[in-house]
Amino acid sequence: MKLREERVSVPGTGHEIKTVVIAPVGDTPRPGVVLYTDIFQLTESTLRTARRLAASGFLVCVPEIYPRGELAGVALEFDDDGKARGMAGAAAMPTSEFDEDRVSVLDYLATRDDVTDLFVTGFCIGGHLAFRGAFDPRVTSTVCFYPTGLQDGKLGADIADSLSRAGDITGRLLIVFGSADPHVPADARLQIFSALYAAGLEHTEFHVYAGGEHAFMRDIGVRHDPELSDLALREAVSFFTGRS
């Protein structure tokens, strides 16, 4: 399937959010998916995954997660320096600013004539941001890939109230973990699972992929697992389309 791709600036609260929008060629209205990146921002690796998702029939909107300060507009390298800068970017962002940007991006998608439903997904810290995206009642389906910090609230400059707000989620939710992810080990996964059930989200889907490491869907580096990546994307597409 041929895709069209554009770079847009979404108006934020006193700043612009650089965003890549990818969709199949044509004017057919389709579901819009906000895709949150990992700490490295708008890398070609993440955009390749976004293109694969768009090719399944979605308009995929990929905003930078650090639109303020020195990392605005920067795609970081997958090396020690890039990791350090990405983590510093997260540490400088209070939860309130992540939330402000979420509202701005969802407002942008909601005004597009070529968007029908609103979905959210994300990877790593982006998986946590996707979880918070599910708080918006306009979001009908959310897929979180190996979200970090849900169990202890670690997101940015402060401790996020994400799990305690799980009851605010009204849409469908799927969370994917790798069993060998040191950032979300078995006890942390159990804590998340228990909290969501306690909040009344008994229909949440949890998928734990045997042997999957953290960032197994990033197609650069030794942790990449192509087979699990394909499986995870198929499951996400199936989930977003209501298992149709």
Side-chain angles (χ1 to χ4, degrees), residues 2-8 19-26 42-44 46-52 54 59-62 112:
K2 291 186 177 181
L3 301 173
R4 54 184 171 87
E5 189 167 327
E6 59 180 327
R7 291 183 178 261
V8 303
T19 303
V20 177
V21 178
I22 309 168
V25 171
L42 299 177
T43 63
E44 274 301 312
T46 293
L47 293 178
R48 282 192 289 271
T49 301
R51 293 176 189 123
R52 292 186 64 189
L59 183 147
V60 181
C61 176
V62 193
R112 290 186 60 122

Side-chain angles (χ1 to χ4, degrees), residues 4-39:
R4 54 184 171 87
E5 189 167 327
E6 59 180 327
R7 291 183 178 261
V8 303
S9 291
V10 173
T13 307
H15 60 283
E16 298 291 316
I17 304 170
K18 294 179 177 60
T19 303
V20 177
V21 178
I22 309 168
V25 171
D27 299 323
T28 302
R30 59 188 73 253
V33 183
V34 176
L35 187 154
Y36 286 112
T37 72
D38 56 20
I39 61 170

Side-chain angles (χ1 to χ4, degrees), residues 12 15 46 64 77 90 111 119 121 171 183 209 225 236 241:
H15 60 283
T46 293
E64 60 183 349
E77 297 293 331
T111 62
F119 303 153
T121 190
H183 299 287
Y209 293 167
D225 188 316
T241 55

